[in-house]
């Protein structure tokens, strides 16, 4: 299993770079960040610093979207970083949640997301595409390579992953949801004539190593609220008795709105509806042994990478625990 770390690009950017550099030294191969340019600093600027101060870490957004930037801009950003640092980027992408909603826009339709993945990948790898009705190619790209990993929860989005994406990002570490989503992606890939084994499966969730479960739950309850934004869309689309597993949908019945000013932050007041059970299922808490047990379970379900959301008050301690005690047990 590979390991990644996910950060918000809160100022100062030097602290983001420091944590990423530390993570690489502890065995993390991927460095991810949020991509909401109003809420946090512009990530692609910071990626250049991360790449310059690490040796082999792959970096990218978890996740960008098709609407914040023109697809040619997104492709050129990745291609530029790859030319500078040797194809060490990955494009995590989804419909858009915080980046879109904080500027008064809805998440992009799946059809737009599908087309954007194709155009961004083709342009970043130096091939010509039709874009806005014109033939477009980035002429200076040489030997560029960009994988596109798509975040998804619902049946239609999971089908799109299986048909078109190089990787799948699931933002919850619940084993039941992991099983259902991975099976859905693989079935869609087979139906599309693709090799399901060629799609990288990445689970991303908060992890906090320690013994004070009550404190850990309060530090990580924000994650259930963040996931709830996507689940609310699914319930509106499919209903409470639709095809989405109840493990994912039942808990949002008490949800009464969401304030993006506290998005992804410990103590988010918009997440009082999230029960302890959801925190325990969606996140990794407790001592090192509990993390190893859950990660082994996820690996058996086909998870190739676990990406740690590191938004809590024990960032360095959790990184160290993973690097010294947990990662060695999952990579040997």
């Amino acid at each position: 299993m590979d390991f990644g770390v996910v950060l918000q690009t809160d100022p100062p950017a030097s602290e983001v770079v420091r944590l990423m550099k530390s993570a690489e030294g502890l065995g993390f191969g991927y460095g991810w960040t949020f991509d909401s340019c109003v809420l946090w600093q512009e990530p692609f600027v910071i990626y250049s610093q991360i790449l310059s101060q690490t040796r082999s870490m792959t970096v990218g957004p978890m996740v960008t979207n098709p609407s914040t930037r023109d697809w040619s801009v997104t492709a050129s950003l990745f291609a530029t970083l790859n030319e500078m640092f040797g194809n060490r980027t990955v494009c995590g992408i989804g419909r858009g949640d915080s980046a879109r909603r904080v500027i008064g826009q809805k998440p992009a339709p799946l059809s737009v997301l599908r087309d954007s993945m194709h155009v961004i990948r083709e342009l970043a790898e130096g091939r010509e595409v039709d874009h806005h009705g014109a033939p477009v190619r980035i002429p200076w790209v040489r030997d560029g390579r960009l994988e596109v990993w798509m975040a998804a929860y619902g049946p239609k989005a999971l089908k799109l992953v299986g048909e078109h994406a190089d990787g799948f990002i699931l933002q919850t570490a619940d084993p039941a949801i992991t099983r259902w989503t991975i099976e859905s992606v693989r079935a869609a890939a087979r139906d599309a004539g693709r090799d399901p084994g060629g799609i990288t499966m990445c689970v991303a969730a908060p992890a906090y190593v320690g013994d004070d479960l009550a404190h850990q739950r309060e530090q990580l309850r924000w994650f259930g609220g963040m996931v709830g934004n996507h689940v609310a869309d699914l319930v509106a689309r499919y209903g409470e008795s639709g095809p989405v597993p109840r493990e994912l949908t039942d808990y949002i019945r008490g949800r009464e709105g969401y304030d993006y000013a506290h998005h992804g932050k410990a103590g988010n007041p918009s997440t009082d509806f999230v029960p302890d059970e959801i925190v325990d299922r969606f996140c990794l808490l407790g001592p090192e042994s509990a993390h190893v047990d859950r990660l082994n379970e996820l690996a058996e379900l086909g998870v190739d990478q676990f990406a740690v959301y590191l938004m809590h008050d024990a960032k360095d301690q959790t990184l160290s625990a993973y690097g010294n005690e947990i990662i060695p047990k999952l990579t040997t």
Side-chain angles (χ1 to χ4, degrees):
M1 180 181 283
D2 292 329
F3 287 84
V5 61
V6 189
L7 299 173
Q8 294 169 339
T9 50
D10 286 311
S14 59
E15 177 65 4
V16 178
V17 176
R18 182 192 72 80
L19 285 167
M20 290 295 191
K21 186 175 180 179
S22 175
E24 184 186 51
L26 290 165
F28 289 82
Y30 284 75
W32 303 92
T33 74
F34 283 33
D35 179 19
S36 295
C37 300
V38 171
L39 296 177
W40 303 287
Q41 293 182 325
E42 168 58 52
F44 284 92
V45 176
I46 299 172
Y47 293 157
S48 65
Q49 294 296 307
I50 297 170
L51 289 165
S52 71
Q53 296 192 39
T54 55
R55 298 180 304 278
S56 60
M57 175 176 273
T58 297
V59 306
M62 188 174 282
V63 293
T64 192
N65 67 83
S67 307
T68 300
R69 307 173 185 89
D70 187 84
W71 305 342
S72 64
V73 175
T74 302
S76 184
L77 287 166
F78 282 112
T80 300
L81 292 171
N82 284 337
E83 192 278 330
M84 292 172 68
F85 300 102
N87 289 335
R88 289 170 54 197
T89 68
V90 57
C91 177
I93 194 168
R95 296 176 59 226
D97 177 37
S98 59
R100 295 288 293 160
R101 298 188 202 268
V102 297
I103 59 172
Q105 301 293 314
K106 294 180 180 180
L110 286 176
S111 59
V112 173
L113 178 55
R114 177 198 63 216
D115 294 345
S116 74
M117 290 195 296
H118 171 73
V119 169
I120 291 168
R121 184 194 292 113
E122 294 297 291
L123 288 177
E125 295 188 347
R127 292 182 290 275
E128 182 178 296
V129 294
D130 181 83
H131 186 42
H132 302 309
V136 178
R137 184 177 69 86
I138 301 178
W140 47 263
V141 172
R142 298 289 185 273
D143 301 318
R145 184 172 183 273
L146 180 67
E147 290 193 356
V148 179
W149 297 11
M150 180 181 155
Y153 291 107
K156 292 181 179 178
L158 294 168
K159 183 173 183 288
L160 184 58
V161 174
E163 293 172 343
H164 296 284
D166 302 302
F168 167 49
I169 297 171
L170 173 64
Q171 296 175 95
T172 174
D174 180 276
I177 298 168
T178 300
R179 179 183 296 106
W180 175 73
T181 54
I182 287 180
E183 288 177 352
S184 298
V185 168
R186 287 176 171 167
R190 285 191 293 269
D191 290 345
R194 303 182 70 202
D195 175 14
I199 300 174
T200 302
M201 306 295 178
C202 174
V203 161
Y208 192 130
V209 180
D211 297 316
D212 188 345
L213 287 177
H215 178 73
Q216 291 178 56
R217 287 177 181 133
E218 291 311 308
Q219 285 288 301
L220 304 183
R221 201 173 304 277
W222 63 266
F223 185 66
M226 187 181 83
V227 173
N229 297 330
H230 304 283
V231 175
D233 289 343
L234 294 176
V235 171
R237 184 175 299 115
Y238 296 106
E240 293 187 5
S241 59
V244 182
R246 299 182 72 87
E247 289 91 343
L248 187 58
T249 60
D250 279 355
Y251 82 98
I252 69 161
R253 289 175 180 169
R255 183 177 183 269
E256 297 180 350
Y258 190 84
D259 183 357
Y260 280 92
H262 308 282
H263 188 58
K265 297 183 183 297
N268 186 335
S270 300
T271 60
D272 292 343
F273 69 94
V274 180
D276 288 350
E277 176 199 359
I278 289 295
V279 181
D280 293 349
R281 279 173 37 206
F282 284 16
C283 307
L284 273 68
L285 302 83
E288 288 93 342
S289 60
H291 292 246
V292 171
D293 289 345
R294 176 74 69 84
L295 290 168
N296 277 321
E297 185 176 7
L298 293 173
E300 290 176 1
L301 295 173
V303 174
D304 301 300
Q305 180 184 149
F306 179 64
V308 178
Y309 278 107
L310 208 62
M311 294 85 183
H312 53 64
D313 62 1
K315 295 180 178 67
D316 286 292
Q317 297 93 319
T318 293
L319 280 179
S320 295
Y322 262 74
N324 295 322
E325 304 294 336
I326 297 172
I327 291 177
K329 292 181 174 66
L330 274 295
T331 56
T332 58

